[in-house]
Amino acid sequence: MHSIIIFASGAGSNAQAIINYLKQHPIGKVSLIVCNKPNAGVLDIAAVENIPTLIIDKTSFNDTTFITTLAQHQPSLIVLAGFLWKIPGGVVQFFSNKIINIHPSLLPKYGGKNMYGQRVHQAVIAANEKTSGITIHYVNEVYDEGEIIVQAHCSVRADDTPETLSQRIHQLEHFYFPRTLHFLLEHYKS
Ligand code: GAR
């Protein structure tokens, strides 16, 4: 059984989609949820699902013992599901090709530092884009620039608000993220 660590600091709907999918396809289990916001919704999900959590701050995140803690779980994959801090170089190197991120746009468009969540959808609508989507990619040491694994598209409608576009993007994420994870667990680079 594969061990998966999720890093998430938001509502956690993607974490929930992954947890639910793994109940139907028991090829792995979420062994730890790492979070940098003590009041994040994802922590309520972790409590209900009985998944251990690790709350981090900038100091513990950058401490070398953080790598040791993660390594104890022997993760096949570390999955960033709504996590906004840049992953320290030491962690990227230690878990080379094992960290993936989901981003709510078609990278390289609307990516980079400070481009997350609703800000992305606001920018997409302001630019009058007709298409948006999601990108699942490996994490390297530059924000949103690791090798792309999967992209999925959806329309941007004339009457979309950031909220309605966000809902459509979340639907894409909840479908593709668990399935991409499943594919990678069976074929991931080592
Ligand atoms: C998701 O839409 C994800 O793509 C985005 O945060 C949201 C988290 O939602 N991530 C980023 O913007 C990363 N740059 P969730 O907490 O409901 O899963």
Side-chain angles (χ1 to χ4, degrees), residues 15-177:
Q16 184 76 69
I18 290 167
I19 293 162
N20 292 349
Y21 181 92
L22 290 173
K23 287 178 188 165
Q24 303 298 321
H25 304 83
I27 51 159
K29 75 172 213 182
V30 179
S31 54
L32 181 69
I33 293 181
V34 175
C35 181
N36 66 274
K37 287 203 183 133
N39 57 353
V42 71
L43 294 174
D44 299 331
I45 294 171
V48 170
E49 301 289 349
N50 220 2
I51 296 171
T53 55
L54 177 66
I55 309 289
I56 48 160
D57 58 20
K58 285 269 175 174
T59 306
S60 56
F61 185 54
N62 286 289
D63 196 290
T64 47
T65 58
F66 182 53
I67 296 180
T68 316
T69 306
L70 297 176
Q72 278 163 358
H73 292 269
Q74 299 188 299
S76 298
L77 281 177
I78 294 177
V79 177
L80 312 190
F83 187 78
L84 307 183
W85 287 356
K86 189 162 181 274
I87 306 300
V91 176
V92 172
Q93 279 152 28
F94 191 91
F95 297 102
S96 165
N97 287 323
K98 288 188 179 176
I99 312 179
I100 63 172
N101 178 45
I102 192 159
H103 185 80
S105 76
L106 296 170
L107 292 174
K109 285 182 143 184
Y110 308 105
K113 193 166 164 49
N114 293 325
M115 266 297 182
Y116 56 85
Q118 299 295 83
R119 291 185 187 196
V120 175
H121 308 312
Q122 276 161 9
V124 166
I125 290 170
N128 220 1
E129 298 279 5
K130 300 288 175 265
T131 304
S132 189
I134 64 167
T135 304
I136 298 168
H137 64 94
Y138 285 106
V139 169
N140 66 12
E141 284 160 38
V142 188
Y143 263 113
D144 296 334
E145 287 191 15
E147 184 188 349
I148 290 174
I149 302 162
V150 163
Q151 291 190 308
H153 299 235
C154 66
S155 59
V156 181
R157 296 179 190 153
D159 60 350
D160 261 333
T161 62
E163 288 72 28
T164 58
L165 181 56
S166 164
Q167 284 166 12
R168 197 171 311 118
I169 291 285
H170 269 101
Q171 284 179 356
L172 276 185
E173 294 186 329
H174 298 164
F175 183 83
Y176 283 102
F177 208 11

